[in-house]
Amino acid sequence: MADDMNQVEVRSFAEGDKVKGTVTKVEEKQVLVDISGSKLDGIVPISELSSLHVEKASDVVNEGDELDLIVTKVEEELLVLSKRKVDAEKAWDEMKQRFEEGKVFEAEVKEVVKGGLVVDLGVRGFVPASLVEDHFVEDFTDYKGKTLTFKIVELDEEKNRLILSHRAVIQGEKEEKKKGLLEKLETGQIIEGKVQRLTDFGAFVDIGGIDGLVHISQLSYEHVEKPSDVVSEGDTVKVKILSVDRDNERISLSIKETQPGPWSNLSEKAPRGQVLKGTVKRIVSYGAFVEVFPGVEGLVHISQISHKHIGTPHEVLTEGQEVDVKVLDVNEADQRLSLSMKEFEDKADFEEKYELPEENTGFQLGEMIGDKLKDLK
């Protein structure tokens, strides 16, 4: 009689009906439940407990848990039920809303599989390896069990396809940070940064979430052949902000302007009378500019090039020539340095020399006059 009653009650249910059930027993590959509002039992196979692969039922539910279930099969005296399908229906509704709103949410990484990560959101969410971080990751083993932030980047319920991205969240955070930083930056500020990469024309420096360019001409007061001669990737450097283009997110920086200038304390390095070695850099009509320290050029006026009279400096000097010079005057404030080269010449070498008549010529002046007088007679 009881069996007949059960059969009658079972027939009152149909596939697709939603019911509530209380877990009465957890076996390895299935769960037994008591259907609320009836005297029927139901079975939830392990494959219907979760959208993810489950090794044993106890990993998902415990005795006494109340579950929302859906009928997948009606047998003679019991119902075959699914927790997974109910969870999926609820999950898809929530995922659609999150996708439309571009919402960021947290979730735990349940599995590490070939090609990426798997997340349980009531439905299976997949994170391709390329969308995990904004940098290359060789091994994802340590990601299992981690809680990360995600955005949904692709959703197709019919194909049961849900693609997540942690990288998109990171990039979004960086963009927000970049905007905030751009608003705070001002020309003339001196801040600390880290050299990110080098190019032929300079170095890109991270100044807290945004990169600025230090042009090769702004790396040092000295002439720089290539940026790697001055800085290396990973170096921490002080930089001065030269300009900020907020619309195009471009920042020009200088390292050399955070350092003492080449003219700083020059009067100590090159006091009056100091003898220095230098290189002729430029020749002009009124003299020659000689570099005596990196970034410091002094003028040798044409009158200080040689004791000998010269029409143009080109008669004596050529660009690139190494010369000795003597400091005549230093003006740090105006960045002027007066030099002399003629100090190293022997002035006597350029004085006119006249030969005196020999003391004994073999005849006397009187004799010459006497001979002339004789001729006149």
Side-chain angles (χ1 to χ4, degrees), residues 215-258:
H215 190 266
I216 191 169
S217 63
Q218 292 295 327
L219 286 170
S220 174
Y221 284 105
E222 299 181 30
H223 174 71
V224 179
E225 289 289 339
K226 54 184 186 295
S228 57
D229 291 339
V230 182
V231 292
S232 302
E233 290 183 5
D235 285 354
T236 298
V237 293
K238 281 188 178 179
V239 291
K240 182 178 180 179
I241 298 174
L242 299 181
S243 66
V244 180
D245 182 347
R246 293 182 174 86
D247 293 335
N248 296 305
E249 297 185 355
R250 290 179 181 173
I251 303 168
S252 295
L253 306 171
S254 174
I255 290 177
K256 80 176 185 182
E257 290 201 19
T258 66

Side-chain angles (χ1 to χ4, degrees), residues 22-27 30-34 41-44 63 67 78:
T22 302
V23 178
T24 57
K25 188 176 182 182
V26 179
E27 297 180 351
Q30 65 182 17
V31 173
L32 302 180
V33 295
D34 179 21
D41 291 327
I43 293 176
V44 184
E63 286 187 17
L67 308 177
L78 54 76

Side-chain angles (χ1 to χ4, degrees), residues 48-65:
E48 294 299 319
L49 283 174
S50 173
S51 60
L52 303 182
H53 174 71
V54 178
E55 288 292 335
K56 52 185 186 295
S58 58
D59 291 338
V60 181
V61 296
N62 297 303
E63 286 187 17
D65 288 351

